[in-house]
Amino acid sequence: MGNLFTSSDSLFQLGFIILFGWGVAHSGLALYRAVRSNRWAKTEGILIEKHTVEDRDLDGTITKHQEILYEYTVGRKAYQNDKYRAGIDIQFTFGASDSSAQRRLIGYLIGDPIDVFYNPRNPKESCLKQGGVVNSIVAAAICLIFYFIALIPG
């Protein structure tokens, strides 16, 4: 009996195993951060930048999302970050309009004070919204399913 895989098939399968293995590890780490963020300290920061970004898919579909930048101080050191949520921050927009992309940050105006949650052990790690557990679990589950599918020979 010959080998079930040609060498290119084996490399292709190995590539998927590595890719989805990395996805499981990355989303697992994000889940850990999301859970841990619920115990982070809170400080006051200021929103210094906010804008809507358009992404165009290969089929021409346009999706929009908000990008932000905020500044905060811990001790006497100033930090900047763009992280909205501590865990994986998936936005299910599916060709969303400006209004749905902006709804997410409707209360955030440039120059206004905002609550910033930061990791007391590593203050440069921060977010505006704690958690993100559900998104991290969904991402981990999807990667795990494809990881196990990639393990199936043939």
Side-chain angles (χ1 to χ4, degrees):
M1 280 185 117
N3 189 353
L4 291 175
F5 299 108
T6 65
S7 64
S8 64
D9 287 342
S10 294
L11 289 175
F12 189 71
Q13 184 178 16
L14 179 62
F16 274 110
I17 290 169
I18 291 170
L19 175 69
F20 292 113
W22 175 87
V24 170
H26 176 73
S27 51
L29 180 60
L31 177 60
Y32 172 73
R33 282 190 191 124
V35 169
R36 195 181 62 189
S37 74
N38 290 315
R39 295 188 306 266
W40 285 358
K42 181 169 87 169
T43 190
E44 188 174 280
I46 187 166
L47 187 66
I48 57 176
E49 191 176 316
K50 174 176 105 170
H51 58 275
T52 302
V53 175
E54 288 187 5
D55 295 317
R56 186 177 303 269
D57 295 339
L58 293 175
D59 66 355
T61 304
I62 297 174
T63 56
K64 299 178 182 183
H65 66 274
Q66 288 281 334
E67 288 188 352
I68 57 169
L69 184 65
Y70 53 89
E71 187 172 75
Y72 59 101
T73 303
V74 176
R76 292 179 180 247
K77 186 164 183 180
Y79 298 92
Q80 288 186 354
N81 202 345
D82 61 356
K83 193 87 168 151
Y84 177 75
R85 187 182 300 270
I88 290 181
D89 193 19
I90 300 172
Q91 295 181 55
F92 298 101
T93 54
F94 300 111
S97 65
D98 273 332
S99 61
S100 67
Q102 291 171 350
R103 226 177 317 169
R104 177 178 184 173
L105 298 171
I106 200 160
Y108 298 98
L109 301 174
I110 294 175
D112 281 353
I114 53 172
D115 288 336
V116 176
F117 299 93
Y118 68 93
N119 181 349
R121 293 182 182 169
N122 182 12
K124 68 180 177 181
E125 187 178 7
S126 67
C127 63
L128 298 183
K129 186 166 178 141
Q130 295 167 299
V133 173
V134 173
N135 289 345
S136 300
I137 290 172
V138 168
I142 290 170
C143 287
L144 200 55
I145 289 167
F146 282 108
Y147 176 78
F148 285 120
I149 289 172
L151 289 176
I152 298 170

